[in-house]
């Protein structure tokens, strides 16, 4: 959905407003409020000029999946909230632990404990491989409760919720993936209601091709790249 260009409006601003309209429409469809959904601009394919345009358009949250770019851009644009969304390599955790607004991609007990060992407050999401695809990172749904139980012993990490990626598939398969993550959250959240650091409030799911479906299924965070920068 690309809106007509108005005077002095950049393409990025126009695209951002279009994404927000899609989010609002999806929320209205299922009785949610649009402000419940946070848009994270995935900026790995663009340079600093585009980031400056995005900031001018009102974008606050940005995501990077490489530690070098995360570190560089978090330093260059410290007023924005920078999310780390890439595969976690334990030898590079120092580059984002304690600096990220949110780490989306904790996919193992080893990664969780390594982040906690940095001795800095760090909110994280647990990545769940709902689809079961071998090419995707994430714990299996059957392993999730055990990892959350381990997380209750962490001193510095707080688990704010869950993240997943849908397969490249038809709309109903994508919807089933997102719905399964929400149902997992809804099932497990009461079991950890008394934990001081496992909160399970956030669902990070949905990208440029499928974010409307994700919002309809309960996403609180969507990760948008191409739909913003194209």
């Amino acid at each position: 959905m690309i809106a007509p260009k108005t005077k002095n409006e950049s393409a990025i601003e126009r695209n951002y407003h279009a994404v927000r309209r899609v989010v609002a429409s999806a929320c209205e469809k299922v009785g949610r409020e649009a402000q419940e959904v946070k848009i994270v601009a995935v900026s790995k394919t663009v340079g600093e000029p585009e980031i400056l345009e995005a900031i001018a358009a009102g974008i606050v949250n940005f995501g990077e999946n490489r530690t070098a770019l995360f570190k560089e851009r978090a330093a260059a644009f410290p007023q924005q909230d920078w999310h780390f969304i890439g595969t976690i390599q334990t030898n590079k955790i120092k580059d984002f632990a304690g600096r990220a607004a949110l780490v989306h991609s904790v996919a193992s007990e080893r990664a969780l404990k390594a982040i906690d060992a940095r001795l800095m407050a760090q909110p994280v999401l647990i990545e769940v491989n709902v689809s079961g695809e071998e090419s995707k990172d994430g714990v299996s749904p059957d392993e999730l409760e055990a990892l959350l139980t381990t997380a209750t012993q962490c001193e510095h990490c707080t688990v704010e919720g869950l993240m997943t990626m849908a397969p490249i598939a038809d709309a109903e398969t994508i919807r089933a993936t997102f719905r399964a993550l929400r149902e997992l959250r809804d099932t497990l959240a009461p079991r950890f209601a008394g934990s001081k650091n496992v909160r399970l409030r956030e669902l990070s799911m949905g990208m440029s091709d499928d974010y409307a479906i994700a919002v309809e299924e309960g996403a609180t965070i969507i990760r948008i790249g191409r739909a913003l920068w194209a």
Side-chain angles (χ1 to χ4, degrees):
M1 175 187 283
I2 302 297
K5 186 173 181 179
T6 61
K7 186 177 181 181
N8 299 324
E9 185 180 49
S10 72
I12 292 170
E13 184 176 11
R14 190 165 69 252
N15 291 343
Y16 177 50
H17 290 164
V19 169
R20 291 182 63 182
R21 283 192 293 274
V22 172
V23 168
S25 177
C27 284
E28 183 178 11
K29 185 175 178 180
V30 295
R32 299 181 64 195
E33 297 294 330
Q35 57 264 35
E36 296 175 19
V37 181
K38 182 179 294 182
I39 299 169
V40 174
V42 179
S43 47
K44 63 181 180 179
T45 63
V46 300
E48 291 195 359
E50 289 85 358
I51 293 172
L52 285 169
E53 283 191 35
I55 292 171
I59 297 175
V60 174
N61 293 277
F62 291 83
E64 287 291 345
N65 67 344
R66 289 181 289 170
T67 53
L69 264 183
F70 173 90
K71 187 176 179 182
E72 174 187 317
R73 290 177 170 180
F77 304 100
Q79 301 306 312
Q80 311 312 117
D81 287 337
W82 288 89
H83 299 235
F84 184 74
I85 61 175
T87 299
I88 293 173
Q89 298 173 274
T90 53
N91 64 325
K92 295 184 178 180
I93 283 174
K94 64 183 183 299
D95 291 333
F96 63 80
R99 302 179 184 183
L102 187 63
V103 175
H104 290 233
S105 46
V106 173
S108 68
E109 180 178 326
R110 181 178 180 223
L112 179 70
K113 289 184 173 180
I115 294 172
D116 199 56
R118 297 297 301 175
L119 307 181
M120 300 179 191
Q122 180 59 68
V124 306
L125 304 176
I126 302 299
E127 183 173 0
V128 186
N129 186 352
V130 176
S131 68
E133 293 177 282
E134 291 185 4
S135 60
K136 285 186 168 54
D137 292 331
V139 299
S140 72
D142 290 341
E143 298 170 326
L144 178 58
E145 185 170 6
L147 183 54
L148 293 173
T149 299
T150 297
T152 63
Q153 306 304 312
C154 289
E155 296 184 20
H156 306 283
C157 285
T158 56
V159 177
E160 301 293 336
L162 309 176
M163 183 272 259
T164 200
M165 295 178 64
I168 299 173
D170 61 273
E172 285 311 306
T173 299
I174 291 169
R175 185 178 297 279
T177 301
F178 293 148
R179 181 182 298 132
L181 189 73
R182 172 171 50 82
E183 291 174 348
L184 266 175
R185 190 276 309 275
D186 292 349
T187 296
L188 292 171
R191 303 180 193 178
F192 293 90
S195 170
K196 71 181 190 306
N197 63 336
V198 176
R199 296 163 181 161
L200 302 186
R201 296 178 293 199
E202 306 286 0
L203 291 175
S204 173
M205 55 190 195
M207 299 188 293
S208 290
D209 289 333
D210 54 26
Y211 69 93
I213 298 172
V215 171
E216 290 175 12
E217 292 301 329
T220 63
I221 303 170
I222 56 176
R223 309 178 304 274
I224 307 297
R226 188 181 66 259
L228 287 172
W229 312 117

